Each structure stands twice: as structure tokens, then as C-alpha cells.
Amino acid sequence: MHACGHDMHMTCFIGTARWLADHKDRWSGTVVFVGQPAEETVDGARDLLKDGLYKRFPKPDYALALHCKADAEAGTVHYRSGPLLASSSSITVLFRGKGGHGAWPNKTIDPIVLSALAILDFQTIVSREVDPLQPAVLTVGSIQGGTKHNIIPNEVKLQITIRSFAEEVHKTLVDGIRRRAAALAQAHRAPEPTVTIDQHVPVTINNDGLTSKVAPLLARGIGESQVQSTQPVMGGEDFSLYAAEDVPIFMFWLGTVAPEKIAEAKAKGNDLPALHSSRFAPEPNASIATGVRAITSAVIGLLPPKS
């Protein structure tokens, strides 16, 4: 079982461990709990696997995970077979120019103007190069450059996230960024920019065979009406990396919101607070009970009974 740093995830994680430890008469075999760090920075799973997780400890037959869902009712779980979360890459583009005084721009090569043009041009990768039937996102989340009103800086750094479900789309996004950055720099007599892929996690794909086994177990554990199908989302997740060495993986969403909060938001036309919002306040009792019951039901069903 995989867990990230959110309190709800870790509470379900500990609750599941306690339940299985207290009910050893219900199952046999080996359960490995992975208390993984650095989920939000997508470093943790890669570091654990690189450090020999599947060699120093028993390589699992299956890997299971849950993750909070901030717009679903507490007491429910949501799953799908196949792609659940997108691949995610963090990319840094460093535009170089020639700094100088803002009153004499003709004596400079302005990396701020260059960056502004690039930010707009990057949007045409999704709109004009990616198949419209393929999901793709390119977001520039950070612009860093300059120090004062009247000084043109030497360089500007852009930080970008790209999301997709297909490897060819990922390649199109990366190639499009590289080509546009280089071409715009050349057009503005600027030095060659640097494009660096800082981080990448692949698509989180729920194994078809494992999903077909776990879905009925979830229904048996928490009730058929509480287990619902869901659509893929463009978020990324390093749980995808546990599929290394052909390990089947399965992640599902855990509803965490009180029904009255959902009804109130819908009535007012408001969005519910997102997972990383300071206003996200999961319904603790129903969420924890459902999470523990769901995971333990899956584990008990997948492992052979005590002989």
C-alpha cells in the first residue's frame, strides 16, 4: 500500500496496518506497507525503488493505493481500469539576453519580452500540434526575472508543467517547447536558451486484471452503491512508478466531503475547496472508516485465507 503525506492518507494507512495486525487469523502471506516520503515532489517512489525496494524487501504481487478526492462524498470510493492520472513533467526554460537600461532597449536583448512571446507561443503546441482527441496540458507556473522597473535583465527563467496520457503527446509537448524557445531566441538575436526536464512521472495505469479482482472486493467491503466509476484526471502521481518490474498496480479515489457541503456548494454554484487548499476539510469519521474498510477488504480478498 502506498500513501502520500496528507493526514487522511496516513491515517488510513495506519488504520489498515492495525486492522490487519489484529486480524491475522483472516489472512496469510506477506503485506508490505510502504511509508513513502516526498510524494508531492514526485521524488519518493523513484528514490525507494532506486534504493532497492523490490530487492531488499519482498517484491509484491500487487500494489494498492488510495488518494483523497476533494469533490466526492465521504463513504464512497471511485475507480477505473486503465489510465487514472496523467504523466507529469516539470520543465525549466532559461532565456538569456543582454541586460541594460530600460531607457535604451535598443542596446539590449530583452529576455522578458522574449519570455512573454514564448509563453503565448507555447499555448499553440496544445491547440495546433496535439491531436484534439488527446488530452494535453501545458501550464507556465512561474516567471522569474528582473530586479527593478528600469533595468532589463540578463536572463529570465520559466517553470512549466506538462501533462498527457500518451507518450507521443508528451514528446510533442517537449519538442514543441524546445523548438519554439530556440526559434524565438534566434529571432531576437538572443543566445541559445536552455530547456531542462527536471522531473517526470509516467501515466498511472490501473492494471486491468487487478482492477477486475479488486472492484468486487471494494463493493463487498463498503457496499455496491458506494463504489462508483470515475474518469481520468490530469494530475500526476508517483505511485505509477511502482508498476516497475511488471508489478500490477491499482489506485482508487476516496470520497472525503460531507454530503451537506456538496449540496451547499452546488446550490450556491461554488466549487468545493481543492485538495491543496487551506479550506479543504475532509469529513474524518466516514472517510477514515471507508478508506480502512476498502483497503482491508481488497487485501483480504487478494491474499489466501488462513489455512
Side-chain angles (χ1 to χ4, degrees), residues 62-294:
Y62 311 109
L64 304 176
L66 64 78
H67 198 295
C68 289
K69 186 169 171 61
D71 58 357
E73 187 175 324
T76 64
V77 300
H78 305 255
Y79 80 98
R80 77 183 310 272
S81 186
L84 181 71
L85 292 114
S87 71
S88 172
S89 295
S90 298
I91 296 175
T92 297
V93 178
L94 183 66
F95 283 112
R96 299 179 179 88
K98 178 185 174 185
H101 200 293
W104 291 277
N106 55 302
K107 296 182 179 181
T108 73
I109 298 172
D110 191 339
I112 287 184
V113 173
L114 175 53
S115 298
L117 291 167
I119 290 166
L120 292 175
D121 201 13
F122 289 159
Q123 304 310 312
T124 64
I125 305 171
V126 174
S127 68
R128 289 297 175 269
E129 290 193 40
V130 175
D131 181 344
L133 298 179
Q134 290 277 11
V137 169
L138 187 158
T139 296
V140 180
S142 172
I143 312 168
Q144 299 173 23
T147 56
K148 205 172 187 304
H149 308 68
N150 62 340
I151 299 174
I152 291 172
N154 284 311
E155 59 184 39
V156 173
K157 182 171 73 172
L158 306 181
Q159 292 180 311
I160 303 169
T161 185
I162 59 172
R163 312 294 174 103
S164 61
F165 284 101
E167 182 58 36
E168 62 267 24
V169 175
H170 175 265
K171 186 176 185 302
T172 297
L173 295 171
V174 174
D175 289 350
I177 290 170
R178 292 189 189 280
R179 278 188 287 105
R180 282 163 174 76
L184 282 165
Q186 185 180 29
H188 289 259
R189 300 177 293 110
E192 181 82 13
T194 302
V195 179
T196 308
I197 300 178
D198 303 313
Q199 293 173 324
H200 174 72
V201 291
V203 184
T204 301
I205 302 175
N206 282 339
N207 177 272
D208 292 339
L210 179 56
T211 303
S212 66
K213 291 179 181 179
V214 173
L217 298 173
L218 296 176
R220 190 186 309 167
I222 68 169
E224 195 166 336
S225 63
Q226 303 303 98
V227 180
Q228 302 168 15
S229 62
T230 191
Q231 295 298 313
V233 297
M234 299 306 287
E237 173 58 63
D238 69 350
F239 179 67
S240 58
L241 295 168
Y242 291 106
E245 299 184 30
D246 297 322
V247 172
I249 67 170
F250 175 79
M251 171 177 268
F252 64 90
W253 298 110
L254 176 68
T256 56
V257 186
E260 57 270 19
K261 285 188 178 179
I262 295 176
E264 181 185 354
K266 189 174 182 181
K268 293 182 177 179
N270 295 334
D271 290 330
L272 288 159
L275 278 174
H276 293 179
S277 164
S278 61
R279 296 186 299 115
F280 174 59
E283 175 64 31
N285 293 337
S287 300
I288 294 166
T290 302
V292 173
R293 195 174 294 127

